[in-house]
Amino acid sequence: MVVDVERFGDPARTNLNQLAVREALYEALPAAFAESGIGWESCASEDRGDGALILIPPEIPKTHLVTILPDKLAAAVSRHNAGCGVPERMRLRVALHAGEVYRDAHGVAGTAVNHVFRLAEAPALRSALAASTGVLALIVSDGLFTEVVRHDPAAEPDSYRQVQVTVKETAATGWIRVPDPAAPLARAGQGDDVARQDGAAIAVRGDTRLAGRGLADRAVLGLLGAGPIVAGGGMGARRLVPAQLPHDVLGFTGREPELAGLASLSAGQGSAAVVITAIDGVAGIGKTALAVHFAHRAAAAFPDGQLFVNLRGFDPDYPPLASGDVLARFVRALGADPSQLPADLDELAAMYRSQLSGRRVLVVLDNAASAGQVRPLLPGSASCLAIVTSRNRLSGLVALDGAQRLTLDMLPAGEAVALIARIAGDERVAADPAATRRLARLCGWLPLALRITADRAAVHPHLSMADLVDELTTERDRLDVLATDEQTSQVRAVFSWSYRALAPGPSRAFRLLGLHPGQDISVAAAAALVDAPVPETRQFLRTLTGGHLLEETGRDRFQFHDLVRLYAAECARSSESEPQQTAAIRRLLTWYLHTTDAYLRTITPDNRHIPLDPPPPACRPLAFTTHRQALHWAENELANLVPVVQQAATVGDDILAWKLPCTFIGILDLFGNMADILPALRSALAISRELGDPTAEAIVLVYLGEAYRDAGQPDQAADCCQRAYAISAGTGDLYGQWMAPYLEGLAYLALGRFDDAIDRIQQSLITARQASDLRAEGMSLIWLGAVHERAGSYETAISLREQAVAALKQTHNRWQYAYALQKLAEACHHHGRIGDAIDQYQQALAIFRQLGDRRTEAGTLLQLGHAQKTTGQADAARQSWQQALDMFEELGDTRADLVRTQLGAEASTKTIRTG
């Protein structure tokens, strides 16, 4: 058993706070074990600083560990939390596994020990606890769940949810349960619904609309992967629930009138959105902190999920996020298939509102630029709540959309001083309250600046509050060169304390990170920017996080607060020469280019790839060994691709400026966003012509045509492909002579010009055969068959796809071979050759399973079930659909609802027949 304290090392905890937490942990554990009938003295434990490893003898019934102990431990922690301040409260992640443990002179070891620690480190477990209002989240190994939990009703097996755990070298299945924090009180007859955050009970009175709807006591029960949470009881009632809220601020102080106002607005009628705005549009006033803190408090009232996005409305260097991009993220988070997203903004917004209809979802839209940016993102259902933060007043949202405004002022003096006292210590503030108030004023009453200042006071106890006031005033004068106005210069002076205290390595990393254009950055990308090994860079980033200069948003991913990022960029401009800045940006762009190339070579190994020079020694691109690794990286970087491409145009490197958008197209193609880089591709076309490189021009034209087709502009796509074909014919490039007419044919297919589509794809087929390129031949045959199928010529479509299967079977691309089998099965299915279709579906399934492509596997199972039903194999069809349903639910795919409906209809039909 591993017990780990959530956010034990949070900078808001002092050393004394940490010692108090450890003491409480070692009081709670023996008490909970004793109340569970397990003698603590019979167990062995090893302290881990922020937690413990506990070895439980095999004679102890394992049922005790999953039926009694979790609730007893949660109760002990809750008792502790109720009697202490926020920095000394704790929440626990608990992992259980059964296996052999070995002991040597250094301690204990063994596969079982490694496994339980990997379970405790699972991102899914962290997310489950972060989204919960309780004090404990439990994960058990697959073996323990199978052997113990599922056989014992007292263990509540239905409250567990299966997750995939991938940590370091471990890839395994786990089962997560988050005990309902309100359940013990409900059983005791409490009249009020209760929500909990960080162990502190918050009563939601029964006369409010939230509690009146019976929603405040529903608990998040589990997690699927790192994405949607699953809430509810039985299988038929499960719902996909995104849990996207950032972590709450430990020790959040004040803002009680604003929180009460938000609660009142959320419980009121007739409002589609709550707008939070700041006086004079000042950044750093705490809009996001307030919105997120309230969202965590109210999360139990929105059991169908919480969506969150930073709209980047006031980024000094890059435009706000487009509403369509945010909608695409949201509908994917709610379970939509990325390949099924419409290109039209209105259609995408309609899909989003449809997904939210009848559900209670909390939507937090942070840092909005305008009402127009926000309006498509507002739910259409009165059961949902949108919280919008912005530096603008968003009057149009109030006037036209019925939003209600809550204006957020600076922190009152008393609350600002209380925030400093909470972190620096009451005795420091009491020693010189006048200086503390002066310090708060110099911080602009901004919560972010106040926290940094208070942390400096806590770290340097020899400095009085008056010393800190003097130092801040001096620093402000010294930083006037970086200031745009007096108030900002004060905040920058506060930031400079943490910055100037850094060692040279983290200090340089901080400056250079300000040059990254994207929303967040991975450790590997940061290593390229800083020109340091990944382990050293990771330590730099942890140092910056500890100094309130950076925020960790996920595993090995980090982002700046708005003001801090601006300050970092200005530090780079003042401390790094222009050649040094340009070199750092080129390293970053080169890393993106070569890592994307590695992604493409993993996903599409037989495709022709853009030729690249070997990466320089300073560039350490990622390498991928599986499709799953490559896809995970690409999805994490999706929001950064467009800003990175835009930055490539600023460094004076023509090669990067044309090759980056052409490589990124392979990622954007998969997620349906190729149109986003149309401007960059048009610039790349101009650059290729300036370079006098016809091969580059033809490549860019092909990708420009593909982007036009994706953007719903098939006429422009066809024109680009025609020009690319002419260039390729002139240079003798057979690959270009295949790809250009192939894509041109797809453009004509989109236009419904079937004869022209057949003509061009037929031409691509001839070229592929001349080049002896079996992959190209197979792809041409698949889509030539698609044209004939659309035209109603099923026999011809079947024949062409049979040829595609034969060609692709000889290549190294197993996925495309399986895809050809699936497409052949579809044609046979539509033409009544059901036996052949079933055989081909099953062959394709076997390959998709080997490759780990579960989404395509589930879709093929759905098709197989329909074919089986047609031949009267009702039981086999139900089995295929059930497998598909399990996968769709795990993946958060909206097709799960369709399959569930189908299974329900089949069950009803069977009942009627047998009745």
Side-chain angles (χ1 to χ4, degrees), residues 593 597 601 608-612 658-659 661-663 699 703:
L593 179 65
D597 182 67
R601 292 179 187 276
R608 186 177 75 171
H609 304 285
I610 294 174
L612 304 178
W658 83 260
K659 288 188 176 182
C662 291
T663 53
I699 290 172
Y703 289 127

Side-chain angles (χ1 to χ4, degrees), residues 6 91 123-134 137-138 158-164 176-179 218-235 237-246 295-296 299-300 302-308 330 332-335 359-362 888-893 900:
E6 181 190 46
R91 303 205 305 166
L125 184 63
R126 295 177 181 271
S127 299
L129 183 57
S132 167
T133 58
L138 170 69
D158 287 343
S159 69
Y160 284 79
R161 294 296 177 263
Q162 186 179 20
V163 299
Q164 295 303 311
I176 286 179
R177 174 179 177 243
V178 181
R218 295 187 57 179
V220 174
L221 297 179
L223 190 68
L224 289 178
I229 298 169
V230 178
M235 289 291 291
R238 289 194 296 173
R239 282 215 174 184
L240 299 171
V241 182
Q244 297 184 345
L245 294 179
H296 278 285
F302 297 90
D304 294 320
Q306 305 90 41
L307 296 170
F308 179 92
F330 279 178
R332 287 198 299 267
L334 290 165
R359 303 175 69 177
R360 289 194 58 79
V361 176
L362 175 60
F888 283 143
E889 287 181 333
E890 182 177 345
L891 296 167
D893 195 299
R900 195 179 295 109

